[in-house]
Amino acid sequence: MTQAPGTVPADPTAEEVANQLASVVGRLLRRLRSSSSESLLTPTQRSVLARLEDGGPATTADLARSEFVRPQSMRLTLGALEEQGLVERAPDPVDGRKSVMSVTDAGRTTLAEVRAAKRNWLAEAVAAELDGTERRTVAEAAALIERLVGS
């Protein structure tokens, strides 16, 4: 049985909720990515920059594993970020034969701008499309989603 967009069945099954949530979250993520597309960063570059900012310095191999890409692909991504001055290379303090990459101040600034563009788009969309009651409902849903993902 198909539902009209935006309607909720009276007593949805866990599978129906999971399907709808996965679909909506996927579309939201694509929309958020496109809201900051004026940046010169690819989605992979943004992801690596965020990982370095959140997790600290890392080797190319560690980043490749974390991002589920081959080390050769990660080297290309890091090379592009390094050329833009968004990351920097330093000797690994544990194994001097390796290098670790870390985010620069310019990288932090760029990442903050990308994140702000996403938040601004979302805040404007919420303000334009939802009334007070709907905003409270979305806030409650966000709290429930947070509980689902365990954060």
Side-chain angles (χ1 to χ4, degrees), residues 28-75:
L28 177 61
L29 289 173
R30 283 188 295 281
R31 192 65 195 265
L32 286 169
R33 280 188 209 111
S34 71
S35 71
S36 62
S37 63
E38 66 279 350
S39 132
L40 298 176
L41 299 177
T42 67
T44 301
Q45 290 170 342
R46 286 192 302 259
S47 179
V48 169
L49 206 54
R51 189 172 297 281
L52 287 171
E53 183 182 53
D54 297 340
T59 65
T60 301
D62 291 338
L63 289 166
R65 275 190 297 279
S66 298
E67 293 289 319
F68 304 104
V69 299
R70 295 174 49 204
Q72 297 86 342
S73 297
M74 184 55 64
R75 275 194 287 280

Side-chain angles (χ1 to χ4, degrees), residues 84-118:
Q84 295 177 63
L86 304 179
V87 298
E88 60 190 359
R89 184 180 312 270
D92 186 325
V94 177
D95 182 349
R97 298 169 297 172
K98 296 179 183 178
S99 353
V100 292
M101 303 301 290
S102 58
V103 66
T104 63
D105 289 340
R108 282 185 193 84
T109 299
T110 299
L111 196 54
E113 290 169 356
V114 167
R115 288 173 172 163
K118 291 176 182 187

